Amino acid sequence: MGQQANLTRTSLSNVQHILFLCLTVPFTGPTVSSASYSTATELLYMLHEGSPKGILIGNIVHDLQLGFFPDPPLSFSLASKGLSEKYVTLDNSTGELYTSAEELDREALCPQNPGVQDCVLLLDIIILPQEYFRLIKVKIAVIDVNDNAPIFPVSEIYITVPENAPVNTRLVIEHPAYDPDGGLNGVQTYRLVDYYGVFTLDVEENESGERTPYLIIMGPLDREVKAEYKTIIIAEDGDNPPLIGSATLSILISDVNDNCPQFTESLINVTLPGNSSIGMKVTTVQAVDIDLGNNALITYAFSERVPLSSKELFDLDKSTGIIKLSKKIDGTILQQHKLTILANGPGCIPALITVIISIIKFTLRPPEVVPRYIANEENGIVYLKELEPIHSPIAFFTIKDPDGKYKVTCYLEGDGPFRLTAYKPYTNEYLLETTNTLDYEVKQVYHIAVVALSLDGSQTKKSIQVQILDENDNSPVFTQSTVEVTIEENNPVNAFLVKLHASDADSGDRDQISYFLGADAPSYFSLDKLTGILTVSTVLDREEKEKYRFTVKARDSGQPPRESVATVHITVLDKNDNSPRFISKDFSFFVPENFPGFGEIGVISVTDADSGQNGWVALSIVNGSDIFVIDTGKGLLRAKVSLDREQQSSYTLWVEASDGGDPTLSSTAKITILLLDVNDNPPLVLFPQSNMSYLLVLPSTLPGSPVTEVYAVDKDTGMNAVIAYSIIGRRGPRPESFRIDPQTGNITLEEELVRNDYGLYRLLVKVTDHGYPEPLFSTVMVNLFVNDTVSNESYIESLLRKDPDINIEEKEPQIAIEPTQKKMEADSCVPTLVTLSIFCFGAVILVTLMAMYICLRKGKKDHRKNENLEVQIPLNGKLEFHLLDKKPIEISNI
């Protein structure tokens, strides 16, 4: 009914097309009761997805080994219809199970578990009649074929990443690709077209085999630098080559509040006349936050340190930062107000700005500033170590008002990481402290002043010089973190490579630096501890190793010492110290003759261990040849003309390879070109020499005796020169009387000649070689005149001039390489025939010599006449035989 299905066994050997019988219980005979055969059996078949309709899945009778024929006969039927009939049909009488779907689709059969390798069609088959009843469980496993490519559910996938996501953060890609195929044919891996240097992909597989791609952050992100990355995500299945699906992946960098409000200045001084009106704009404070949206919202507020009197006198707009006068100025109001204003952002430490508003009034006696130092102080100079912690106290300042009438404000003047704050619960007491770490290498001396300002504008300054003391907090720094060095190979021993230099920002003996090689440095490199001079103690060979990479260290003299690392890259430059090298000193190429001119004979492979111009190799033929040329760049050897094996069977060339170095180095190799024979010469018939020659055959010639032969040679070799002979056309009284030996060309008499057999016999002999791809052949006409004597030569010659009406009996000549056992036995049983054959052959030679003598006598007379006759005979048969012969061959008299 149809072609048998391809069945596959799931085993380690992966042998396909084998039926699996999981459990079979064979019948032992029709007489056993039905109860003993009610046990269910199970069959498992494996079938490739895509199998067409009519494929034989299995034979229930054969696979259960039901080797008997009960009466009535067994019948088979499906216990359940529906889905089973859609995919399979069961022959009720033979038990043969076939596919019924036009094309078996595993994904349509098992839509509930796409991407899972297992897909099984379950059948229940009932065997009747009742006395042989049996229920057979059949499982048909459908083997998946990779006929689906991965598909993403959406064309563009969006994923949001906060800009402060740490390195190695893993984010699931919510829309993985879907592939209905199962196992290796399902989705196996994902990749991105562009990773931008900050992303990579990882794939996780759960217990059910589903693979989910994860985006991994490999570098820092900054929304303010780049807010979105677009790339292509590609899903591949496990086929070779894999099927792929793709979608656009948009990675959106979300803003986080990683920038806080900042003021462009730290202090604003404003002078306000005492007669200013209410609502007058005094000044505006403005901070900037480069974040977006709510993260960039800024509100302004007075600091807790701003006195209530100042808050009552001035109004601050929390949104715009505008400060206005909100109360009339009278004699009781302070003459100077220091407003510390905070710029608040979400989750940020407020930025500070100080607004000092001076109200012009009458001058009173200036206040007095009394310092009490906590830090080391000498002659007005305060000494602080650069490693002092933040908020280290420097001094207390007591402010005294000589008049005792007005309050005195105090503030700090000058730049630096310092602040002056009121020391509560005491009045007129202020603490000077640090607000940040100190760095000797950034700044060594600070000049600040504590200013006491009374309401009438009179003030007193106490100047302070802060001297920063150095600590060993800086490591040495190399001039270059990566040092590139080049040196020519074959260098002298202890050659100079480079002088390394590092500097240290610390002062004193802490900036004295020593140099050391890293642990990864080869032993033949040396680094002077004091000078930093790097040398190599051995001769370097680029062909052995071209690149060196190791670390060097610079260490200062501090306690404890600090060090830094730099990387040294050494590139060994090439010198022309290697000759070109052929992969073989003796190349041999086999080329068929008649190979077209400028065809590729072969490739001369040569290498040079040097690089650049030193490794560039040019090829040339040393012994000179007008026939062959060689491609210098590719090493292709070509012949300018077509080669003929019959003229010359082999060629020997010497090829020289020269590199481009100075001086040039070279080497030579021997090339041997051997021509393979092609069947381009048909057999050449040497005997008989003419289609017009004939031979007298006496009627007394015994059967089995040789009468003549056809002899030919072939210029080709091998099977192209193996010749076979056959008679393809006959004419005469009884033409079947003669046969030809297909191997030797000997023509023998097969049957005894009688009176009715006298006359001219014309045998058309085909001489064929066994050449490949197409055998070539020649033909010759063998004329035999059966008679007692040659009484009328002119009559015979007139018969020869007529075109013979010969039907072509085209037969392939066969050469018997070894005689058959039957013939060998016959020859051994009839030794008398051998003696008789020798006698007859001698007689034939005698008659032939006589015929040749007669022909030679008449040759001179009829030379011109016969000159046009000594050609291959044209036939008037059913086939124009001259179209069969590729090369006409002239033959002369036998």
Side-chain angles (χ1 to χ4, degrees):
M1 290 178 62
Q3 184 181 2
Q4 186 172 356
N6 293 326
L7 304 175
T8 305
R9 181 178 62 174
T10 55
S11 65
L12 293 177
S13 60
N14 294 323
V15 179
Q16 296 185 344
H17 314 299
I18 297 179
L19 173 65
F20 243 59
L21 301 178
C22 290
L23 176 63
T24 60
V25 180
F27 290 116
T28 60
T31 61
V32 182
S33 66
S34 61
S36 63
Y37 284 87
S38 62
T39 302
T41 59
E42 184 174 284
L43 297 176
L44 172 64
Y45 299 99
M46 292 192 176
L47 186 62
H48 279 286
E49 176 188 19
S51 298
K53 181 178 181 181
I55 294 297
L56 176 62
I57 299 173
N59 189 310
I60 304 301
V61 174
H62 177 269
D63 297 335
L64 291 177
Q65 300 179 3
L66 306 179
F68 63 94
F69 303 91
D71 187 19
L74 298 178
S75 65
F76 306 85
S77 62
L78 292 172
S80 60
K81 307 293 184 178
L83 182 64
S84 302
E85 289 186 333
K86 182 178 179 181
Y87 292 98
V88 299
T89 58
L90 176 64
D91 192 310
N92 294 336
S93 58
T94 65
E96 291 178 335
L97 195 63
Y98 293 87
T99 58
S100 61
E102 291 299 326
E103 182 177 355
L104 189 60
D105 188 355
R106 188 193 71 89
E107 287 72 33
L109 178 61
C110 301
Q112 69 279 6
N113 54 350
V116 180
Q117 183 71 24
D118 297 328
C119 178
V120 179
L121 177 62
L122 303 176
L123 306 176
D124 290 339
I125 297 178
I126 298 174
I127 302 177
L128 295 174
Q130 186 63 33
E131 57 266 35
Y132 303 109
F133 172 80
R134 182 182 295 184
L135 177 64
I136 306 300
K137 296 287 186 178
V138 177
K139 295 182 179 180
I140 302 175
V142 181
I143 305 303
D144 184 47
V145 174
N146 192 24
D147 55 350
N148 293 280
I151 301 174
F152 284 90
V154 294
S155 60
E156 186 165 5
I157 302 171
Y158 295 91
I159 186 169
T160 301
V161 182
E163 65 176 328
N164 65 342
V167 175
N168 294 326
T169 297
R170 299 170 62 86
L171 301 166
V172 65
I173 297 178
E174 293 292 344
H175 301 285
Y178 163 84
D179 193 335
D181 295 322
L184 288 177
N185 295 331
V187 176
Q188 296 299 312
T189 187
Y190 294 83
R191 59 185 172 88
L192 298 180
V193 171
D194 191 350
Y195 292 87
Y196 292 102
V198 294
F199 303 105
T200 188
L201 277 184
D202 190 18
V203 180
E204 289 187 2
E205 182 177 359
N206 59 20
E207 295 179 355
S208 62
E210 296 178 349
R211 289 176 168 83
T212 302
Y214 283 80
L215 183 70
I216 301 177
I217 310 303
M218 301 301 294
L221 303 174
D222 191 347
R223 186 207 61 81
E224 285 73 31
V225 176
K226 188 174 181 67
E228 182 179 4
Y229 296 85
K230 272 189 178 292
T231 184
I232 302 297
I233 182 171
I234 296 176
E236 296 182 352
D237 63 21
D239 206 348
N240 186 16
L243 301 179
I244 65 173
S246 63
T248 301
L249 180 62
S250 295
I251 305 171
L252 307 177
I253 310 303
S254 62
D255 184 56
V256 297
N257 192 25
D258 57 346
N259 293 281
C260 289
Q262 296 289 332
F263 286 105
T264 57
E265 51 188 346
S266 60
L267 178 66
I268 298 177
N269 284 302
V270 179
T271 300
L272 186 66
N275 58 351
S276 297
S277 60
I278 298 174
M280 176 182 175
K281 179 179 178 181
V282 179
T283 188
T284 302
V285 294
Q286 187 174 12
V288 178
D289 191 334
I290 62 176
D291 287 327
L292 291 177
N294 293 332
N295 293 332
L297 292 178
I298 301 174
T299 58
Y300 302 92
F302 287 116
S303 169
E304 293 292 333
R305 293 179 292 178
V306 177
L308 179 61
S309 59
S310 297
K311 294 179 180 179
E312 293 176 349
L313 183 62
F314 301 101
D315 178 68
L316 173 63
D317 190 305
K318 67 177 182 179
S319 299
T320 63
I322 297 175
I323 300 175
K324 295 181 180 180
L325 184 65
S326 61
K327 183 179 178 181
K328 184 176 180 180
I329 300 174
D330 56 25
T332 62
I333 295 177
L334 295 175
Q335 300 304 305
Q336 188 178 60
H337 296 266
K338 180 180 180 182
L339 306 180
T340 301
I341 298 175
L342 309 177
N344 298 294
C348 290
I349 298 175
L352 301 178
I353 188 171
T354 301
V355 178
I356 298 178
I357 302 174
S358 301
I359 300 175
I360 301 173
K361 289 203 57 126
F362 296 101
T363 303
L364 299 176
R365 287 187 298 172
E368 182 180 356
V369 178
V370 180
R372 289 171 292 168
Y373 293 100
I374 302 172
N376 293 331
E377 182 268 339
E378 186 176 350
N379 299 325
I381 301 176
V382 176
Y383 296 93
L384 296 177
K385 294 181 179 180
E386 63 175 333
L387 297 182
E388 290 286 350
I390 301 174
H391 304 308
S392 295
I394 300 175
F396 276 109
F397 291 90
T398 302
I399 308 301
K400 294 181 179 181
D401 183 7
D403 297 327
K405 185 176 182 181
Y406 303 105
K407 278 190 174 182
V408 178
T409 60
C410 187
Y411 62 92
L412 189 64
E413 190 178 77
D415 297 328
F418 309 103
R419 70 178 178 182
L420 185 67
T421 57
Y423 192 75
K424 295 181 179 180
Y426 306 105
T427 58
N428 295 328
E429 294 287 343
Y430 294 87
L431 174 64
L432 179 63
E433 61 183 353
T434 61
T435 60
N436 207 339
T437 56
L438 304 173
D439 192 345
Y440 173 85
E441 288 70 38
V442 175
K443 192 171 184 179
Q444 294 82 38
V445 179
Y446 292 91
H447 295 279
I448 57 177
V450 176
V451 180
L453 180 65
S454 62
L455 289 177
D456 64 347
S458 60
Q459 65 179 12
T460 301
K461 286 185 180 183
K462 179 61 178 178
S463 297
I464 303 171
Q465 177 179 326
V466 180
Q467 177 70 50
I468 310 302
L469 302 178
D470 187 30
E471 296 284 341
N472 189 31
D473 59 341
N474 289 280
S475 300
V477 178
F478 281 96
T479 306
Q480 295 175 301
S481 59
T482 301
V483 181
E484 301 286 346
V485 181
T486 58
I487 183 174
E488 280 193 344
E489 63 176 332
N490 305 329
N491 55 280
V493 176
N494 296 324
F496 170 83
L497 294 175
V498 69
K499 187 178 186 302
L500 302 174
H501 178 71
S503 58
D504 196 313
D506 293 323
S507 61
D509 57 2
R510 289 180 288 272
D511 62 354
Q512 296 180 5
I513 299 173
S514 301
Y515 300 92
F516 304 92
L517 285 173
D520 56 346
S523 59
Y524 39 84
F525 289 99
S526 300
L527 181 62
D528 189 275
K529 178 179 179 180
L530 298 178
T531 63
I533 294 177
L534 181 64
T535 58
V536 58
S537 61
T538 188
V539 178
L540 300 178
D541 186 355
R542 188 202 67 84
E543 288 71 42
E544 179 181 340
K545 189 171 183 180
E546 184 178 5
K547 301 281 187 181
Y548 294 88
R549 182 182 182 274
F550 53 86
T551 56
V552 291
K553 298 179 181 179
R555 185 180 301 159
D556 63 20
S557 302
Q559 292 298 326
R562 302 174 69 96
E563 64 181 28
S564 62
V565 178
T567 303
V568 177
H569 292 269
I570 299 176
T571 301
V572 182
L573 303 179
D574 185 53
K575 294 183 73 174
N576 192 28
D577 56 349
N578 289 279
S579 300
R581 176 176 296 178
F582 290 93
I583 63 170
S584 174
K585 283 296 184 180
D586 194 345
F587 291 86
S588 294
F589 297 107
F590 294 87
V591 181
E593 64 173 331
N594 304 329
F595 194 67
F598 289 97
E600 295 180 6
I601 294 176
V603 178
I604 312 301
S605 298
V606 61
T607 59
D608 194 311
D610 295 321
S611 64
Q613 189 71 17
N614 297 331
W616 180 86
V617 179
L619 297 174
S620 60
I621 300 176
V622 177
N623 54 338
S625 175
D626 295 333
I627 299 177
F628 299 96
V629 293
I630 190 167
D631 188 327
T632 294
K634 298 181 179 179
L636 293 176
L637 181 65
R638 308 174 189 267
K640 299 179 182 177
V641 297
S642 180
L643 305 177
D644 188 354
R645 187 200 63 81
E646 283 72 38
Q647 293 183 6
Q648 185 172 343
S649 61
S650 65
Y651 298 85
T652 301
L653 305 176
W654 288 92
V655 174
E656 181 181 50
S658 303
D659 62 22
D662 186 16
T664 300
L665 302 178
S666 62
S667 60
T668 58
K670 180 183 177 182
I671 313 294
T672 302
I673 303 168
L674 303 174
L675 297 184
L676 303 177
D677 184 50
V678 173
N679 191 28
D680 56 350
N681 292 284
L684 175 64
V685 178
L686 301 179
F687 186 85
Q689 298 179 349
S690 171
N691 287 341
M692 299 301 295
S693 61
Y694 64 93
L695 176 68
L696 177 64
V697 180
L698 297 177
S700 60
T701 305
L702 295 177
S705 301
V707 295
T708 185
E709 70 171 343
V710 177
Y711 178 70
V713 295
D714 197 309
K715 295 182 180 179
D716 296 318
T717 61
M719 292 302 295
N720 295 334
V722 175
I723 298 174
Y725 303 86
S726 64
I727 299 175
I728 63 172
R730 305 168 184 264
R731 184 184 179 192
R734 192 152 54 99
E736 65 275 5
S737 300
F738 299 93
R739 69 174 291 274
I740 190 168
D741 188 306
Q743 184 175 5
T744 64
N746 291 334
I747 298 176
T748 57
L749 178 64
E750 290 294 294
E751 300 177 1
E752 183 180 0
L753 299 172
V754 297
R755 185 65 183 176
N756 292 335
D757 296 335
Y758 287 23
L760 181 63
Y761 289 79
R762 311 201 71 178
L763 305 178
L764 182 59
V765 177
K766 181 178 181 181
V767 184
T768 307
D769 63 24
H770 280 57
Y772 178 84
E774 180 181 0
L776 303 178
F777 65 89
S778 300
T779 60
V780 66
M781 186 69 74
V782 178
N783 303 302
L784 303 175
F785 185 65
V786 178
N787 205 350
D788 294 323
T789 61
V790 178
S791 59
N792 190 346
E793 291 186 13
S794 61
Y795 169 72
I796 298 176
E797 291 176 356
S798 66
L799 292 179
L800 294 178
R801 294 190 185 94
K802 295 180 181 180
D803 292 335
D805 186 10
I806 298 179
N807 292 328
I808 304 302
E809 304 171 0
E810 184 64 49
K811 296 181 180 179
E812 288 297 329
Q814 301 295 326
I815 295 181
I817 303 302
E818 295 180 2
T820 63
Q821 184 66 24
K822 182 178 180 181
K823 179 173 178 59
M824 292 175 65
E825 291 176 356
D827 290 342
S828 63
C829 294
V830 193
T832 307
L833 290 177
V834 177
T835 305
L836 184 59
S837 298
I838 296 173
F839 175 79
C840 293
F841 183 73
V844 170
I845 293 176
L846 180 60
V847 173
T848 302
L849 293 175
M850 292 175 64
M852 292 177 63
Y853 177 74
I854 295 172
C855 291
L856 290 174
R857 289 183 61 187
K858 296 185 65 178
K860 294 182 179 179
K861 178 180 178 180
D862 300 330
H863 175 70
R864 292 188 177 181
K865 184 177 181 180
N866 292 335
E867 185 177 4
N868 295 327
L869 298 177
E870 293 179 346
V871 296
Q872 187 169 341
I873 299 175
L875 302 178
N876 294 328
K878 296 180 180 179
L879 178 65
E880 294 184 7
F881 194 78
H882 66 280
L883 296 177
L884 296 174
D885 196 359
K886 296 190 174 182
K887 293 186 179 180
I889 300 174
E890 295 184 359
I891 61 176
S892 60
N893 294 339
I894 295 177

